[in-house]
Amino acid sequence: LLLVDVFGMWCPYCRSNAPALVRLHQKYADRGLRFVALTNTPESGVKAYADETKAAWPVGFDTPAAAVVALGAGSGMAVKGYQVTPIVYLVGPD
């Protein structure tokens, strides 16, 4: 299984959800659950965010907004200036 966290550093829900993701990672990583996070934020701020939230998994930065939208994480954002809708996916082998 793969947990994909599409997040925005500006998103208060992403920040409040981070401790739960860390707990899930601690509990299930040794059982094969893999984590990856994606954001369209530049690298400069992402490392500090990952350190602050204790994300111990790969965090992709500068992800093109079009790629995030193609994942289905952009179509519902109605706030001007934001291109990404934060969302978490659990992807199975099938």
Side-chain angles (χ1 to χ4, degrees):
L1 293 173
L2 174 66
L3 186 142
V4 181
D5 178 25
V6 181
F7 73 97
M9 291 177 34
W10 48 267
C11 172
Y13 300 107
C14 298
R15 287 185 182 276
S16 67
N17 193 42
L21 291 177
V22 169
R23 287 191 301 275
L24 284 173
H25 184 261
Q26 291 169 341
K27 185 173 182 176
Y28 294 107
D30 64 342
R31 298 187 207 175
L33 178 59
R34 300 294 177 239
F35 286 63
V36 65
L38 299 172
T39 184
N40 64 341
T41 303
E43 180 182 16
S44 60
V46 173
K47 176 151 180 25
Y49 178 86
D51 290 346
E52 174 189 331
T53 59
K54 298 179 175 58
W57 49 86
V59 179
F61 54 88
D62 272 337
T63 306
V68 176
V69 170
L71 290 172
S75 58
M77 185 55 84
V79 179
K80 185 176 180 174
Y82 296 106
Q83 302 165 323
V84 175
T85 301
I87 193 165
V88 176
Y89 291 108
L90 185 59
V91 182
D94 58 346

